[in-house]
Amino acid sequence: MNNMKKTRSGFPRRLALSVLLLALALPPLQTLAQTQTQTGPVVLNFVNADIPSVIKAVGELTGKNFIIDPRVKGTVIITSARPVPRDQVYPILLSALRMQGFSAIEGRGVVKIVPEAEAKQNYSVTRGKQINESGDRIITQVYPLQHESAAQLMPVLRPLIGPNNTIAVLPSSNTLVITDYADNVRRLNAVIEAVDQPSANDTALIRLNHVSAVDVAQSLGRLMSDGAAAAGQPGGARLTIVPDVRSNSLLVRSDNPSRIQTLRGLIAGLDVAGVAGGNIHVVYLRNAEAAKLAETLRGVLTGEAPSGLATATTPAASQTASVNPVSGAAGGSMILADAATNSLVISAPDVTYNALRAVIDKLDARRAQVFVEALVVEITAEKAAEFGIQWQDLRGIEKSGTNFIGGTNLGGRNTGSNILDAAVNLGTVGQGLNIGIVSGTINIPGLGVVTNLGALARALESDANANILSTPNLLTMDNEEAKIVIGQNVPFITGQYAQTGSTTTPSPFQTIERRDVGLTLRVRPQVSEGGSVKLEIYQEISSLRPTTTAADIITDMRSIDSTVLVDDGRIIVIGGLIQDTMQDGVDRVPVLGDIPLIGHLFRSEKRKRMKTNLMVFLRPYVLRDTSSSDVLTGERYDFIRQKQAEFRMQPHFALPDMQMEPLPELKNPPLPQRVNQPPQPAQNSPLTAP
């Protein structure tokens, strides 16, 4: 009986508890199912609900598609005392998932639910300083700092970021890369903006009295670059040194005032007067030619134009001229050029050397290169027509007494259209339709036995077209002439002489001059600071004329000699020729050739028309750095590789396979690091070290 009571009393309690739990779990699902066709707010009431089930219910309510990682398991509690708008359901789900250690990765049309530790390895929205997202969405922000050091700020921000998200620093550009939830990224931005402020003590002007600001900047820059391996370590500070050659001063900027004080001590130790005999300096040049620059510097010191600068073409002459010391107004200063190392040796007081060093820094700049594309298009169309009838009667030559001979002789001799040439040799008749009446042979005094050609009718029509396209390319340095010749080297007879003497046979000889025949392009570019290019151009197109009537070779030549100004990368036409020539010639017998219809038996007509269109286009590209040259070279190299790949020999059952080895892929090696010659900063470009 007691057992029955216990059983009856325990069963209802357990049943009531189960019904209560089911009632707590089912109403929210029922509520969502009932309201998914509505647009009003909903009541969320999930108590210990399974996470995949909650995600499914939210997907049905919001219309989003979800992909759930198998590792996403557990329960979640979401309750709302009042109805919430539907656009807040998805952000509430993201907050609940974040509390359980899961994140949502939004993609195109689908949302992936993954563990929080793997969220940073998936795609996320990437922003700059300004972000539009909010809530518990994973985003990535690239934040460049203006004043503070990113390496120093990272230890401060790292504790504010969750252990599963990341923050990284790029020392070279002083940039932070943060991957975290949008709301937390907004909080970090507020911290960074409050800290990244300019300081009154981060910039200093240090004047130098004895040494050159350019030399000191190079030495300190090399010292700082040697410690670049530790630049990415927390606590590293940025240091920027810019030389001002006009005032011989250094502009120093750092986010750590103590480093500026340390730098002041180093500069004070270097800025001392030179001891006796210690005013000899060696300056290594990177771009300029030492011999020519030494001549220029001597002219600066003496106030005279450099003699022989433009005419010194051999290294020996330049080196000989570069050993003469400077005297007079220079106060015994001396400038020598060492061609082997391309360096200058300067012996001068500190004041003079500092002035010369500023000039050297400006003149020893990298010269731009110019790539010139030329397009030469020549289109020629030639049409000719010829029609004529000639006749003759020579039978009376072989008869005695007085007889009649005669006929029409039209056209020049040795032109292939004259009836007399055809009678002597039928092989001399020109191209076209030739119809004649022959009656054996006949002996003409002075000519011998010839064909008795009584009549000759000729008809000819020719049509010739030519389209010549040439694309010569040139690459040269700024203000240096370049030349390309594509054609033949043809000998021309310039004189003849037959020597006679005591020998029985003369000894003739000829003088011959060889000339280039074809396409010649000669360019001298000059780049201006505004980006335009001044081009001194000489363009020549010559060809041999196929004729045998002249005593020597005949060439057709078209040339352009001009100076133009064109912007970088723009196309300009430098010359053109549009020629239309018409010729109409008639050889006829007087009176008889003018009779209608019958007159065609007594005349020979020729017509010819020739049209020539010639255009020359140029486009210069200014290449100021190595990357521009690499891109241009890579494009041309890939074009050649493609053309080589398109050419393939067809296989043959008897002939061996002789395929050409393909060109290797073009890969430019990295530039070597200079050890003994530290890089010189360009004018107005800071020498930066972390």
Side-chain angles (χ1 to χ4, degrees):
M1 191 68 177
N2 295 332
N3 294 336
M4 289 294 294
K5 292 181 178 179
K6 186 181 296 185
T7 302
R8 289 181 179 178
S9 61
F11 177 75
R13 292 177 181 176
R14 290 194 299 269
L15 179 60
L17 181 60
S18 301
V19 172
L20 178 60
L21 293 177
L22 183 61
L24 293 175
L26 289 180
L29 299 180
Q30 294 175 354
T31 302
L32 293 176
Q34 293 174 357
T35 59
Q36 57 179 314
T37 59
Q38 303 175 1
T39 58
V42 296
V43 177
L44 302 178
N45 191 14
F46 296 98
V47 178
N48 294 326
D50 186 54
I51 292 179
S53 300
V54 176
I55 295 174
K56 180 180 179 182
V58 174
E60 294 177 354
L61 183 62
T62 60
K64 292 183 177 292
N65 301 319
F66 291 91
I67 298 178
I68 305 175
D69 191 281
R71 293 168 292 181
V72 178
K73 298 178 181 179
T75 60
V76 67
I77 300 176
I78 303 176
T79 60
S80 60
R82 297 179 181 179
V84 297
R86 290 188 175 228
D87 56 356
Q88 295 296 324
V89 174
Y90 178 65
I92 292 175
L93 174 64
L94 297 183
S95 300
L97 292 176
R98 178 182 177 183
M99 296 180 64
Q100 299 297 324
F102 304 115
S103 299
I105 305 300
E106 299 180 4
R108 294 184 178 179
V110 67
V111 180
K112 296 187 295 182
I113 308 299
V114 298
E116 187 182 50
E118 297 185 3
K120 59 179 176 292
Q121 300 175 359
N122 290 267
Y123 168 80
S124 60
V125 177
T126 303
R127 302 295 185 191
K129 282 189 175 183
Q130 302 296 329
I131 59 176
N132 302 323
E133 290 74 17
S134 61
D136 294 319
R137 300 181 182 182
I138 293 292
I139 66 171
T140 299
Q141 184 183 36
V142 180
Y143 198 111
L145 301 181
Q146 299 295 330
H147 307 285
E148 290 295 327
S149 171
Q152 287 184 326
L153 194 57
M154 188 179 70
V156 179
L157 301 178
R158 175 70 264 187
L160 304 180
I161 298 177
N164 292 325
N165 295 321
T166 62
I167 179 172
V169 61
L170 186 62
S172 59
S173 60
N174 198 34
T175 303
L176 291 173
V177 181
I178 306 171
T179 300
D180 201 357
Y181 294 98
D183 282 345
N184 196 37
V185 173
R186 288 178 176 272
R187 182 182 67 150
L188 296 177
N189 288 351
V191 175
I192 296 174
E193 290 178 1
V195 175
D196 189 28
Q197 298 295 330
S199 174
N201 299 322
D202 62 351
T203 304
L205 175 64
I206 304 176
R207 297 186 180 274
L208 302 177
N209 298 319
H210 304 285
V211 296
S212 170
V214 177
D215 289 343
V216 174
Q218 289 184 6
S219 301
L220 295 178
R222 185 180 181 185
L223 176 64
M224 300 306 172
S225 63
D226 290 341
Q233 299 296 329
R238 293 177 58 86
L239 178 65
T240 304
I241 306 173
V242 179
D244 182 66
V245 295
R246 185 185 62 84
S247 61
N248 197 36
S249 304
L250 293 177
L251 296 174
V252 182
R253 180 177 180 179
S254 177
D255 50 11
N256 190 346
S258 62
R259 298 202 66 184
I260 297 182
Q261 296 300 326
T262 304
L263 196 63
R264 287 182 181 274
L266 292 176
I267 296 175
L270 295 175
D271 188 24
V272 295
V275 297
N279 58 349
I280 300 178
H281 308 271
V282 178
V283 181
Y284 293 97
L285 303 179
R286 299 181 59 187
N287 302 286
E289 185 177 346
K292 294 183 179 180
L293 186 55
E295 290 285 345
T296 303
L297 295 178
R298 292 192 196 94
V300 171
L301 291 179
T302 60
E304 299 177 357
S307 59
L309 180 60
T311 58
T313 57
T314 61
S318 300
Q319 205 166 1
T320 303
S322 63
V323 298
N324 297 325
V326 178
S327 58
S333 301
M334 182 174 62
I335 303 174
L336 303 177
D338 183 56
T341 59
N342 195 38
S343 58
L344 297 175
V345 181
I346 302 176
S347 176
D350 292 338
V351 177
T352 304
Y353 172 74
N354 292 338
L356 292 176
R357 193 64 182 86
V359 175
I360 294 172
D361 185 62
K362 291 181 177 295
L363 296 181
D364 188 29
R366 179 187 176 95
R367 296 171 63 184
Q369 298 186 95
V370 180
F371 179 78
V372 181
E373 282 184 331
L375 177 63
V376 182
V377 184
E378 182 177 2
I379 302 175
T380 303
E382 181 178 351
K383 294 183 179 181
E386 178 182 349
F387 180 79
I389 298 176
Q390 305 174 58
W391 57 269
Q392 63 182 358
D393 185 8
L394 304 177
R395 291 175 297 178
I397 293 179
E398 296 181 346
K399 298 179 182 180
S400 59
T402 301
N403 299 290
F404 173 79
I405 64 171
T408 58
N409 179 16
L410 305 177
R413 298 294 302 273
N414 300 324
T415 60
S417 62
N418 190 276
I419 191 173
L420 295 180
D421 295 334
V424 176
N425 184 4
L426 293 177
T428 61
V429 180
Q431 298 179 349
L433 177 63
N434 297 277
I435 300 176
I437 299 176
V438 179
S439 178
T441 59
I442 189 171
N443 188 3
I444 299 178
L447 294 179
V449 180
V450 300
T451 303
N452 188 9
L453 183 60
L456 177 63
R458 280 181 43 80
L460 173 65
E461 184 175 351
S462 62
D463 189 353
N465 297 315
N467 185 357
I468 302 175
L469 177 65
S470 302
T471 56
N473 298 331
L474 283 175
L475 177 63
T476 181
M477 294 184 64
D478 181 22
N479 210 23
E480 294 289 342
E481 183 180 290
K483 178 182 178 182
I484 183 173
V485 178
I486 304 173
Q488 299 175 318
N489 191 258
V490 181
F492 289 84
I493 299 176
T494 58
Q496 295 180 348
Y497 180 72
Q499 181 181 4
T500 58
S502 58
T503 58
T504 57
T505 57
S507 301
F509 69 90
Q510 296 177 338
T511 57
I512 295 177
E513 179 184 356
R514 290 189 171 271
R515 300 177 186 174
D516 295 327
V517 176
L519 188 146
T520 302
L521 175 62
R522 189 166 63 243
V523 178
R524 180 190 294 273
Q526 184 177 357
V527 182
S528 64
E529 291 296 332
S532 59
V533 183
K534 178 183 176 182
L535 297 175
E536 297 180 4
I537 308 161
Y538 177 76
Q539 175 87 45
E540 178 183 310
I541 304 173
S542 57
S543 59
L544 299 177
R545 178 176 294 183
T547 180
T548 58
T549 59
D552 201 354
I553 301 175
I554 298 178
T555 59
D556 295 328
M557 186 181 71
R558 296 165 298 280
S559 64
I560 299 172
D561 192 351
S562 177
T563 301
V564 298
L565 187 67
V566 58
D567 291 336
D568 181 17
R570 308 295 294 180
I571 301 177
I572 189 173
V573 57
I574 63 170
L577 169 65
I578 301 177
Q579 183 178 3
D580 194 350
T581 304
M582 297 184 64
Q583 297 178 358
D584 188 5
V586 179
D587 294 337
R588 60 173 174 253
V589 177
V591 181
L592 296 178
D594 296 329
I595 300 175
L597 299 179
I598 301 176
H600 289 288
L601 301 176
F602 299 95
R603 67 172 179 252
S604 176
E605 299 178 83
K606 294 181 180 180
R607 294 181 179 179
K608 184 178 181 181
R609 181 179 182 180
M610 185 172 61
K611 297 180 65 176
T612 301
N613 297 326
L614 173 65
M615 292 289 176
V616 180
F617 301 88
L618 285 180
R619 175 163 57 183
Y621 291 100
V622 180
L623 309 178
R624 299 186 182 275
D625 50 20
T626 306
S627 60
S628 301
S629 303
D630 292 343
V631 171
L632 182 65
T633 303
E635 291 178 355
R636 269 54 179 182
Y637 191 82
D638 293 339
F639 174 77
I640 294 299
R641 291 187 68 215
Q642 181 181 359
K643 291 300 180 182
Q644 185 192 38
E646 293 175 356
F647 176 76
R648 286 290 184 269
M649 293 184 180
Q650 297 296 329
H652 196 276
F653 71 95
L655 299 178
D657 188 10
M658 301 184 197
Q659 298 294 346
M660 184 181 298
E661 292 292 333
L663 292 174
E665 184 178 356
L666 182 62
K667 293 183 179 180
N668 289 317
L671 296 177
Q673 181 67 29
R674 297 192 176 206
V675 178
N676 296 328
Q677 300 182 20
Q680 296 182 0
Q683 183 65 19
N684 297 329
S685 297
L687 193 156
T688 305

